[in-house]
């Protein structure tokens, strides 16, 4: 994908853009260039008597970076393709790498072009979409970048994939840009640990007696409680509680009623865990922690 960003061919050109650094010339579409406030202001200052067919503007970018800029302005970014789940039903979302802008290239687009040329909101939304798609594979890098640039939604998304801070090396932790971002991450991980523990302890296999098995009730409840209590003691912010509890379903294969109840309870855990993991409300809650320290940490999800 990186190679495809260093060249560009316009399908309906009516304008030319030239690199003042290496002289590379690209054809462009004037209307598409208006997706940048910089080009919009530039055209507003142009002599109206000049024929559009004669116009050419010089940009102080290398040819490859100019090609990337023109591609952003002319072609709407396609959303990354979500891969089907493999194995366990509760793996984090995974994307087809061929459809995701690689993180080094993506950060270059942000750093070098997006802000400099004041790109349209629709383009920025597309870039942020690809930033979130990089989070499962590069959580710490995405969290650090998003926090540094006040992208709270993207930071919250990435933080759910970040391992416990103590598991990273000193060099890796340097990806977190400042002490405030570091402190937010610690608080967010602490919040998720508490929320996951409460969520797990609150999920019964026969809630209020619903779907109860008259033949194996006590044994099934005992197995469920033993499994979840063992898991509660080792929950971290990125723990897949639904996936861990899903291993218990094989124990109930001989009883359709117990098996169905276990699957339903695990599915409910997965649904609630995804809400905790992906919603930006968790981040908003943490940013107001001082005003809500007496509240139950899971109230904002109920």
């Amino acid at each position: 994908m990186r190679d495809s960003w260093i060249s560009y061919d316009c399908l309906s050109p009516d304008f030319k853009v030239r690199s003042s650094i290496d002289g590379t010339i690209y054809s462009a579409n004037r209307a598409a260039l208006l997706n940048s406030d910089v080009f919009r202001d530039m055209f507003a200052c142009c002599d109206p008597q000049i024929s559009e067919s004669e116009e050419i503007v010089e940009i102080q970018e290398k040819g490859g970076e100019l090609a990337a800029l023109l591609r952003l302005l002319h072609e709407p970014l396609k959303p990354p393709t979500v891969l089907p789940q493999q194995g366990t039903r509760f793996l984090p979302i995974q994307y087809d790498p061929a459809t995701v802008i690689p993180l080094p290239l993506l950060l270059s687009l942000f750093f070098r072009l997006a802000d400099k040329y004041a790109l349209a909101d629709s383009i920025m939304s597309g870039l942020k979409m690809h930033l979130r798609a990089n989070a499962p594979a590069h959580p710490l890098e995405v969290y650090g970048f998003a926090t540094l640039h006040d992208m709270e939604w993207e930071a919250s998304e990435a933080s759910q994939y970040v391992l416990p801070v103590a598991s990273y090396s000193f060099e890796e932790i340097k990806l977190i840009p400042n002490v405030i971002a570091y402190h937010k991450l610690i608080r967010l991980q602490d919040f998720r640990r508490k929320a996951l523990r409460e969520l797990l302890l609150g999920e019964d296999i026969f809630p209020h007696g619903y779907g109860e098995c008259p033949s194996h009730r006590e044994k099934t409840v005992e197995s469920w409680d033993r499994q979840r209590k063992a898991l509660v003691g080792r929950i971290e912010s990125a723990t897949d509680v639904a996936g861990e509890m899903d291993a218990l379903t094989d124990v109930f294969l001989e009883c359709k009623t117990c098996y169905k109840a276990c699957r339903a309870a695990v599915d409910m855990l997965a649904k609630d865990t995804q809400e905790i993991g992906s919603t930006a409300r968790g981040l908003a809650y943490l940013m107001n922690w001082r005003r809500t320290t007496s509240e139950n940490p899971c109230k904002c999800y109920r």
Side-chain angles (χ1 to χ4, degrees):
M1 177 174 282
R2 176 181 288 276
D3 291 342
S4 65
W5 283 83
I6 61 176
S7 61
Y8 179 74
D9 292 317
C10 183
L11 298 178
S12 54
D14 58 10
F15 197 75
K16 291 186 183 296
V17 182
R18 178 169 58 210
S19 166
S20 62
I21 296 177
D22 56 30
T24 306
I25 297 178
Y26 292 102
S27 296
N29 180 277
R30 187 184 182 98
L33 297 180
L34 297 180
N35 285 317
S36 159
D37 286 348
V38 171
F39 279 104
R40 187 185 297 273
D41 293 343
M42 191 181 300
F43 290 149
C45 298
C46 286
D47 186 342
Q49 300 300 318
I50 299 177
S51 168
E52 288 188 6
S53 63
E54 298 174 348
E55 287 187 26
I56 184 169
V57 64
E58 286 197 348
I59 299 296
Q60 195 172 357
E61 301 289 351
K62 294 180 180 179
E65 291 170 340
L66 184 54
L69 174 62
L70 293 175
R71 180 170 173 176
L72 283 175
L73 293 172
H74 287 76
E75 300 177 4
L77 285 173
K78 296 180 180 179
T81 301
V82 177
L83 292 173
Q85 292 280 23
Q86 300 292 330
T88 176
R89 296 172 292 147
F90 310 110
L91 288 172
I93 294 175
Q94 298 292 326
Y95 298 89
D96 181 355
T99 67
V100 180
I101 300 176
L103 189 61
L105 172 59
L106 183 63
L107 298 187
S108 176
L109 295 177
F110 271 113
F111 276 125
R112 294 282 302 142
L113 303 174
D115 186 58
K116 182 177 180 179
Y117 290 94
L119 302 185
D121 289 343
S122 59
I123 298 175
M124 294 301 296
S125 295
L127 290 172
K128 290 178 180 180
M129 177 174 55
H130 280 265
L131 185 64
R132 293 195 297 273
N134 272 281
H138 308 284
L140 203 59
E141 294 93 326
V142 173
Y143 174 80
F145 179 85
T147 305
L148 182 63
H149 293 85
D150 297 323
M151 301 178 189
E152 291 192 353
W153 177 267
E154 286 69 30
S156 180
E157 282 284 303
S159 68
Q160 66 182 306
Y161 302 107
V162 177
L163 298 175
V165 170
S167 66
Y168 293 99
S169 69
F170 179 71
E171 290 301 317
E172 290 172 321
I173 287 297
K174 287 181 179 179
L175 292 168
I176 300 177
N178 52 55
V179 67
I180 294 177
Y182 182 88
H183 187 53
K184 284 183 179 180
L185 180 58
I186 295 295
R187 293 169 68 189
L188 187 52
Q189 290 190 330
D190 181 63
F191 166 80
R192 286 205 169 104
R193 281 194 298 270
K194 292 176 180 177
L196 289 173
R197 287 169 184 164
E198 180 170 316
L199 179 66
L200 180 57
L201 290 174
E203 188 63 49
D204 294 325
I205 193 166
F206 301 126
H208 306 292
Y210 179 77
E212 188 172 283
C213 175
S215 302
H216 312 105
R217 180 190 178 281
E218 291 186 8
K219 184 178 179 180
T220 299
V221 170
E222 181 182 349
S223 296
W224 177 265
D225 285 345
R226 184 168 56 248
Q227 179 84 351
R228 65 176 171 179
K229 287 176 181 177
L231 177 57
V232 160
R234 53 188 175 86
I235 281 180
E236 296 293 347
S237 61
T239 298
D240 177 9
V241 294
E244 295 278 353
M245 294 300 292
D246 188 50
L248 191 62
T249 55
D250 291 343
V251 175
F252 307 124
L253 287 175
E254 295 182 358
C255 177
K256 291 184 178 179
T257 301
C258 294
Y259 179 81
K260 181 179 179 181
C262 187
R263 290 294 297 267
V266 169
D267 287 341
M268 183 58 68
L269 280 175
K271 177 179 178 296
D272 292 342
T273 298
Q274 288 174 357
E275 183 177 355
I276 291 174
S278 63
T279 184
R281 282 183 291 173
L283 185 61
Y285 173 85
L286 287 169
M287 296 309 101
N288 292 285
W289 187 276
R290 292 181 183 275
R291 297 199 298 271
T292 56
T293 50
S294 62
E295 294 183 7
N296 184 315
C298 289
K299 280 186 178 179
C300 56
Y301 293 107
R302 296 179 176 173

